[in-house]
């Protein structure tokens, strides 16, 4: 979609705006009231059902902010950095499945949003980003706070617009919501010059709100073939990715797994689709997956990949991934099919559509031999989680937090060892419970995403596992959390290092740990006082477990400081480029 947007927008900047369908379908009546582009955006957002947006104002977007102020219908969450606003919007989107909305000004406001937009692109998260731009006559003059936001965002958006006339907003805004949420979801950026925000237009008729397109269907033939392949397989494995979450297909996946006795692996993005403690759940595959998970994949004869994209962190050395398996690959994005692994059966369709229609096509199968073999693999190649009962050990902290919460709690993470410890050890039991930056792996994601999730589900607890490196990347959002009284609990696993880097240097660079250990770390508990946020230091608490449970129960934001030894490693680990069966199993 980007390519068409580029050519259209680039080539026609100097020309008058093209006529749109709306010009033809909805002729403007002379008596219609005149409304500014900024007011139009607010009305169109209201019509989309948007109740909360996150952003930071600035000169080029002030008309829109004024329209938000005058309307008073949409809650605006004032972030402290535009990347925070982008991740707050993402948190709302990931927790609900509906597009999140963020707003930034031109120039540095827009560039600060880019990482959050790229993150949404790689994880297929529906997002609508609205940026202010310098007025049309100034575009291309290096005006104050002018950057080519359209150009910069082009490769990291699903679609983007530079709006050339206020009238075009009537098409662009609803279409942006449709594109963001349809098929494979993703971020859409709308760049609106200041004079377009101020431009008055007559609106005779309002467009319909943009809704997701109907789910993409699969052919009866493809469904029949898939069912036959599943029926006749001896050692099938279901491989679920983030696309299953995006398509709200988790319960359909579980039903199919149960009907046909399919051991099920999940990608980092797919965790929660099948409850972690379900007998068929094999947990996360790949670089930090359980040894038995990767061994089971090595033995399977049919891999049923749904909404998963054979990412290198999941597959390890691709040529040796599931070497004995035929592949059924279901993905709503046809571009994913055959991209990395040729499938014996490739189905470009909605995950839920396919899974729900496969269910009546497959018979109940006990698969006792294969399930017995999988149990044997579990015994022979367990996931070791040492010192589970200690609050000084990573797994112990994760399990203690989980034990104090129920399944309603949402979990976000930052990026690093702590993210993988949580992925391995937290008993995730439902889709949309788990919000993590998978594709881009963005440090700084956790806190603002948790704020967004808490805004979407104010009645729930949101726990964000973070690292001492990651938390400093969007620390300023504690001010937002305090202001919003967001029910966010940050569990800071402080190993005084960029732990995952430290681990890789230890394992793969001759122990030359360089630029990964902090000579000084801040007093995080004291920092929280500055933000007006409660803090608990597990090291100093007389009864840490009780203090932890109380901190998690108390409403509002809180930081829980959990010191961890720098030398702790997240294992197993598949060395980059190696096959998933060549895991490093013990500490080096
Ligand atoms: C924005 C960003 N910069 C750099 C990296 C590379 N990186 C991946 S993990 C990591 C260390 C993270 O440290 P911390 O947050 O303390 O987590 P830990 O591994 O110690 O648990 C780094 C630097 C990244 N993922 N994101
Ligand atoms: Mg760290």
């Amino acid at each position: 979609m980007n390519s068409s947007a580029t050519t259209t927008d680039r080539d026609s900047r100097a020309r008058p705006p093209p006529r749109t369908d709306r010009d033809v379908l909805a002729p403007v009546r002379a008596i219609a009231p005149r409304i500014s582009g900024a007011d139009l955006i607010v009305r169109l957002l209201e019509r989309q059902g948007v109740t909360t947006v996150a952003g930071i104002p600035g000169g080029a977007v002030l008309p829109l902010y004024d329209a938000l102020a005058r309307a008073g219908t949409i809650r605006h969450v004032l972030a402290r950095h535009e990347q925070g606003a982008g991740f707050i919007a993402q948190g709302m989107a990931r927790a609900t499945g509906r597009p999140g909305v963020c707003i930034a000004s031109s120039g540095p406001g827009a560039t600060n949003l880019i990482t959050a937009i790229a993150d949404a692109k790689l994880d297929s998260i529906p997002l609508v980003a609205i940026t202010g731009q310098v007025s049309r006559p100034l575009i291309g003059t290096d005006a104050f706070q002018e950057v080519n936001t359209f150009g910069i965002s082009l490769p990291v958006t699903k679609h983007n617009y530079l709006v050339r006339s206020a009238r075009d907003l009537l098409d662009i805004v609803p279409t942006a919501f449709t594109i963001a949420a349809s098929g494979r979801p993703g971020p859409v950026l709308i760049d609106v010059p200041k004079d377009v925000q101020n431009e008055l237009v007559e609106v005779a008729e309002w467009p319909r709100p943009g809704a997701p397109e109907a789910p993409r269907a699969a052919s009866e033939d493809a469904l029949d073939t898939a069912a036959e392949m599943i029926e006749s397989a001896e050692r099938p494995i279901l491989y679920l990715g983030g696309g299953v979450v995006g398509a709200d297909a988790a319960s359909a996946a579980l039903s199919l797994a149960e009907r046909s006795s399919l051991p099920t692996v999940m990608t980092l993005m797919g965790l929660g689709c099948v409850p972690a403690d379900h007998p068929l759940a094999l947990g996360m595959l790949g670089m930090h997956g359980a040894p038995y998970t990767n061994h089971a994949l090595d033995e399977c004869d049919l891999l049923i990949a749904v909404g998963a994209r054979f990412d290198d962190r999941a597959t390890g050395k691709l040529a040796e991934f599931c070497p004995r398996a035929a592949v059924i690959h279901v993905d709503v994005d046809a571009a994913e099919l055959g991209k990395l692994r040729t499938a014996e059966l490739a189905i470009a369709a909605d995950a839920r559509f396919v899974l729900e229609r496969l269910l009546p096509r497959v018979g109940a199968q006990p698969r006792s031999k294969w399930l017995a073999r999988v149990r044997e693999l579990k015994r022979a190649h367990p996931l070791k989680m040492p010192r589970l009962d200690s609050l000084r050990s990573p797994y112990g902290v994760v399990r203690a937090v989980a034990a104090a919460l129920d399944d309603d709690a949402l979990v976000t993470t930052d990026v690093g060892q702590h993210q993988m410890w949580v992925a391995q050890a937290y008993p995730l039991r439902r889709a949309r419970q788990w919000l993590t930056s998978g594709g881009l792996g963005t440090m700084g994601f956790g806190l603002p995403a948790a704020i967004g999730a808490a805004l979407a589900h104010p009645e729930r607890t949101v726990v964000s596992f973070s690292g001492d490196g990651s938390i400093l990347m969007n620390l300023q959002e504690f001010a937002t959390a305090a202001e919003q009284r967001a029910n966010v609990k940050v569990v800071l696993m402080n190993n005084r290092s960029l732990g995952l880097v430290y681990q890789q240097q230890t394992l793969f660079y001759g122990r030359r740990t360089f630029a990964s250990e902090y000579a000084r770390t801040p007093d995080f508990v004291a920092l929280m006082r500055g933000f007006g946020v409660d803090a608990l230091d597990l090291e100093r608490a007389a009864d840490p477990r009780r203090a932890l449970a109380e901190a998690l129960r108390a409403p509002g934001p809180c930081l829980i400081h959990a010191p961890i030894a720098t030398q702790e490693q997240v294992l197993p680990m598949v060395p980059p480029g190696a096959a998933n069966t060549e895991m490093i199993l013990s500490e080096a």
Side-chain angles (χ1 to χ4, degrees):
M1 276 199 203
N2 284 133
S3 54
S4 66
T6 331
T7 35
T8 320
D9 284 344
R10 290 289 147 129
D11 298 349
S12 60
R13 269 190 192 177
R15 296 201 303 268
R19 285 172 65 82
T20 62
D21 284 353
R22 189 136 308 281
D23 293 325
V24 181
L25 295 175
V28 173
R29 278 180 255 127
I31 48 161
R34 276 152 62 90
I35 173 171
S36 75
D39 288 321
L40 246 173
I41 293 173
V42 174
R43 285 294 305 277
L44 292 167
L45 291 176
E46 287 168 5
R47 291 168 63 85
Q48 286 299 140
V50 173
T51 55
T52 308
V53 299
I56 300 185
V61 78
L62 276 181
L64 176 57
Y65 270 79
D66 193 48
L68 284 167
R70 282 183 283 101
T73 46
I74 294 177
R75 175 180 183 184
H76 178 269
V77 176
L78 180 60
R80 286 353 189 224
H81 185 294
E82 288 83 357
Q83 189 186 111
F87 283 137
I88 290 170
Q90 266 215 44
M92 294 191 280
R94 288 181 190 243
T96 63
R98 293 190 298 276
V101 180
C102 54
I103 305 177
S105 196
S106 66
T111 53
N112 274 352
L113 263 190
I114 292 294
T115 299
I117 293 172
D119 188 281
K121 177 76 162 41
L122 276 163
D123 283 348
S124 306
I125 303 302
L127 187 75
V128 174
I130 302 173
T131 47
Q133 182 54 278
V134 301
S135 291
R136 282 169 296 182
L138 293 176
I139 289 179
T141 68
D142 297 331
F144 179 63
Q145 295 193 328
E146 183 194 4
V147 292
N148 181 349
T149 304
F150 179 87
I152 293 172
S153 64
L154 179 69
V156 294
T157 49
K158 183 175 177 188
H159 197 63
N160 63 354
Y161 297 96
L162 173 60
V163 184
R164 281 170 260 98
S165 127
R167 168 158 308 284
D168 291 352
L169 288 163
L170 288 165
D171 277 327
I172 288 173
V173 175
T175 308
F177 279 84
T178 297
I179 293 171
S182 296
R184 179 179 190 166
V188 179
L189 181 134
I190 309 175
D191 197 30
V192 195
K194 189 172 185 179
D195 60 336
V196 171
Q197 295 170 50
N198 286 325
E199 187 186 344
L200 296 175
V201 287
E202 291 170 342
V203 181
E205 197 184 323
W206 289 90
R208 258 194 237 147
E213 286 162 4
R216 188 167 173 175
S219 73
E220 297 289 312
D221 269 4
L223 293 166
D224 290 341
T225 310
E228 280 159 27
M229 288 170 76
I230 294 169
E231 293 283 72
S232 59
E234 283 179 11
R235 298 181 308 281
I237 286 185
L238 188 57
Y239 158 38
L240 304 177
V244 175
V245 179
D248 287 324
S251 67
L254 179 58
S255 302
L256 182 71
E258 287 177 339
R259 166 78 57 89
S260 188
S261 298
L262 304 171
T264 302
V265 302
M266 288 160 276
T267 68
L268 180 69
M269 293 297 296
L271 289 176
C273 281
V274 170
D277 48 3
H278 192 283
L280 290 167
L282 286 184
M284 182 173 71
L285 78 162
M287 185 176 266
H288 296 291
Y292 58 80
T293 311
N294 288 332
H295 283 295
L297 284 161
D298 193 57
E299 294 188 11
C300 77
D301 68 351
L302 177 67
L303 185 69
I304 309 152
V306 187
R309 57 187 175 84
F310 293 83
D311 173 71
D312 53 272
R313 286 294 186 275
T315 64
K317 187 175 179 185
L318 195 57
E320 289 175 38
F321 180 62
C322 300
R324 289 159 254 278
V327 172
I328 300 174
H329 193 179
V330 180
D331 203 296
V332 73
D333 182 357
E336 286 298 340
L337 303 172
K339 184 179 87 176
L340 290 163
R341 168 87 180 235
T342 308
E344 276 63 27
L345 177 64
I347 306 179
D350 177 74
R352 184 167 160 187
F353 181 99
V354 172
L355 291 165
E356 284 180 346
R357 278 155 189 82
L358 280 177
L359 193 61
R361 285 172 159 86
V362 300
Q365 280 219 42
R367 295 196 201 276
S368 5
K369 210 169 136 198
W370 176 221
L371 294 190
R373 173 66 186 150
V374 169
R375 279 195 298 275
E376 202 176 299
L377 288 172
K378 271 192 176 182
R379 270 194 303 274
H381 307 281
L383 175 64
K384 294 199 180 118
M385 291 193 262
R387 293 179 293 125
L388 263 183
D389 54 350
S390 163
L391 282 179
R392 296 301 301 257
S393 92
Y395 295 117
V397 171
V398 175
R399 281 292 171 85
V401 171
L405 295 169
D406 60 23
D407 286 349
D408 276 347
L410 288 109
V411 182
T412 82
T413 72
D414 267 304
V415 172
Q417 290 179 311
H418 62 277
Q419 178 187 30
M420 294 300 129
W421 284 318
V422 182
Q424 292 174 331
Y426 198 100
L428 297 162
R429 293 201 182 89
R430 56 183 180 83
R432 299 203 185 284
Q433 184 183 12
W434 166 245
L435 283 53
T436 198
S437 170
L440 198 64
T442 312
M443 293 167 69
F445 171 91
L447 172 60
I451 296 171
L455 292 168
H457 294 297
E459 73 293 353
R460 296 190 180 181
T461 301
V462 185
V463 58
S464 178
F465 290 91
S466 186
D468 49 321
S470 294
I471 197 67
L472 289 175
M473 293 220 179
N474 273 321
L475 189 81
Q476 75 288 342
E477 299 310 326
F478 272 113
T480 313
E483 196 167 271
Q484 300 292 330
R485 294 188 184 81
N487 197 17
V488 167
K489 321 294 177 197
V490 174
V491 178
L492 179 60
M493 299 170 78
N494 185 357
N495 52 11
R496 306 175 72 90
S497 68
L498 298 165
L500 200 54
V501 174
Y502 186 94
Q503 172 171 340
Q504 297 214 32
Q505 290 171 331
T506 305
L507 293 175
F508 310 124
Y509 292 86
R511 296 184 181 275
R512 285 180 300 283
T513 53
F514 176 73
S516 55
E517 209 175 348
Y518 294 122
R520 260 190 89 121
T521 60
D523 179 341
F524 289 103
V525 171
L527 277 171
M528 290 306 108
R529 263 202 306 283
F531 282 111
V533 168
D534 289 339
L536 162 70
D537 196 339
L538 287 182
E539 205 173 27
R540 302 219 176 113
D543 183 347
R545 274 178 205 277
R546 198 170 147 187
L548 174 66
E550 277 168 14
L552 291 170
R553 238 192 338 263
C558 171
L559 178 125
I560 296 156
H561 185 247
I564 299 284
T566 307
Q567 286 71 27
E568 292 280 1
Q569 295 187 345
V570 51
L571 295 168
M573 179 169 197
V574 177
N580 276 352
T581 46
E582 296 164 23
M583 292 158 272
I584 296 171
L585 295 170
S586 51
E587 296 216 357

